[in-house]
Amino acid sequence: MGSRRAIDLVVVPFTHETKASTWERHPKLREAATRFDLWGRSFAGAAELLEKMDESGIEQALMPAITGGVWEVSCRYVKSLVDAAPCRLHGTAGIDPSQISEGVRKLDWAVCELGFVGAHSFPHWFGLPPHDRAYYPFYDKCVELDIPIQIHVGSSYYPSMRDVATPRTIDAVAVDFPDLRLVAIHTGYPWERELVSVARKQPNVYLGIEQRYAASWPQELVDFIKGGGRKKVLWGTNYPMLEFELALAGLAALDLDPEVEELFLYANVKRVYRLS
């Protein structure tokens, strides 16, 4: 990698422990992990994850305490992983709009007491689009705490779940919360073009490009990374969905100039998340 620096926007806490508890106990999670060939890719813990990051030259990573309401990987568990390397791993707090008052207090606690750097949302698990008013207290709290929120935008992977998080819903949130830093993760597939349009329009909307290798990115997205969106697009893997080394190697075909590559892989996420 030479002098290339990288910060991964999303690394899922898919450890042996969470696999045997959260994923093993929830049929939909297990089915998705099996379908995407992830079942054998869990890692032992922070030490193994850091070793894999080192092998690929990844300096830092953000790790969400994820929740689907009926399941979760807790903030305390993610904190235990982050504590192994607090300068390299950073937690983001999953939000549950079905428990608004308790959830907002939990978000505040995760940021103020545990040192988490952002929030994370899986709208399709709750069947509520991102512009549903149930999320608004969480957005208010994010603005108060000056943290970004990651929101899964794109098609759901589960046949029984509706596709509720489309680019137009992010546009609506951006209008109502102009001071909220919105990071639309999972590339927006298959609505990348619409998501690029929203990011062009809204100064507080950023694109999280992870979970799909570069070879599958549409040209309009690549052009946005190289041009007007060079300060608005954040790289990641959603590891173990994507392998670190393969995700980085695939960028060579995009022929990014050094300045754009530095912004995309490193500087943008560092700026948006106020990482030291």
Side-chain angles (χ1 to χ4, degrees), residues 229-247:
R230 61 176 52 203
K231 292 187 176 181
K232 302 202 70 180
V233 189
L234 287 57
W235 175 84
T237 63
N238 204 46
Y239 182 84
M241 177 67 79
L242 304 187
E243 296 287 353
F244 295 134
E245 187 172 352
L246 291 176

Side-chain angles (χ1 to χ4, degrees), residues 122-201:
F122 273 156
H124 57 273
W125 278 94
F126 303 98
L128 297 175
H131 62 348
D132 190 279
R133 290 306 191 266
Y135 295 101
Y136 276 37
F138 294 94
Y139 300 153
D140 272 328
K141 178 57 68 171
C142 288
V143 172
E144 176 188 327
L145 296 171
D146 191 28
I147 58 169
I149 183 168
Q150 299 175 353
I151 303 176
H152 175 165
V153 178
S155 181
S156 168
Y157 306 124
Y158 306 94
S160 62
M161 294 182 181
R162 295 179 176 86
D163 293 336
V164 297
T166 61
R168 70 181 62 183
T169 65
I170 299 300
D171 180 63
V173 176
V175 170
D176 288 346
F177 292 88
D179 296 324
L180 173 63
R181 302 195 298 284
L182 290 155
V183 183
I185 60 171
H186 290 10
T187 316
Y189 177 83
W191 303 296
E192 297 99 322
R193 182 179 183 184
E194 295 174 18
L195 193 53
V196 165
S197 177
V198 173
R200 287 187 191 277
K201 172 187 175 185

Side-chain angles (χ1 to χ4, degrees), residues 20-219:
S21 55
T22 306
W23 269 265
E24 183 73 44
R25 294 172 185 172
H26 198 287
K28 289 182 181 178
L29 289 177
R30 175 167 186 146
E31 187 276 330
T34 302
R35 177 155 45 99
F36 290 105
D37 196 27
L38 300 179
W39 200 246
R41 298 191 200 172
S42 61
F43 52 93
E48 183 180 343
L49 174 63
L50 291 166
E51 182 179 345
K52 291 180 180 295
M53 289 168 58
D54 287 339
E55 290 171 355
S56 300
I58 295 175
E59 180 184 295
Q60 301 175 55
L62 276 62
M63 180 176 291
I66 51 181
T67 180
V70 294
W71 59 269
E72 75 168 352
V73 176
S74 73
C75 290
R76 289 192 183 278
Y77 183 78
V78 169
K79 174 64 172 173
S80 72
L81 298 174
V82 168
D83 281 346
C87 293
R88 300 190 63 190
L89 301 177
H90 312 280
T92 59
I95 63 171
D96 180 351
S98 67
Q99 301 179 14
I100 297 174
S101 296
E102 178 183 347
V104 170
R105 288 193 295 269
K106 186 175 180 180
L107 173 59
D108 185 84
W109 166 76
V111 174
C112 296
E113 300 297 327
L114 302 186
F116 281 22
V117 299
H120 181 277
S121 177
F122 273 156
H124 57 273
W125 278 94
F126 303 98
L128 297 175
H131 62 348
D132 190 279
R133 290 306 191 266
Y135 295 101
Y136 276 37
F138 294 94
Y139 300 153
D140 272 328
K141 178 57 68 171
C142 288
V143 172
E144 176 188 327
L145 296 171
D146 191 28
I147 58 169
I149 183 168
Q150 299 175 353
I151 303 176
H152 175 165
V153 178
S155 181
S156 168
Y157 306 124
Y158 306 94
S160 62
M161 294 182 181
R162 295 179 176 86
D163 293 336
V164 297
T166 61
R168 70 181 62 183
T169 65
I170 299 300
D171 180 63
V173 176
V175 170
D176 288 346
F177 292 88
D179 296 324
L180 173 63
R181 302 195 298 284
L182 290 155
V183 183
I185 60 171
H186 290 10
T187 316
Y189 177 83
W191 303 296
E192 297 99 322
R193 182 179 183 184
E194 295 174 18
L195 193 53
V196 165
S197 177
V198 173
R200 287 187 191 277
K201 172 187 175 185
Q202 301 292 0
N204 58 325
V205 172
Y206 301 85
L207 306 190
I209 308 302
E210 33 70 58
Q211 194 154 309
R212 301 183 69 81
Y213 287 112
S216 70
W217 299 348
Q219 189 60 45

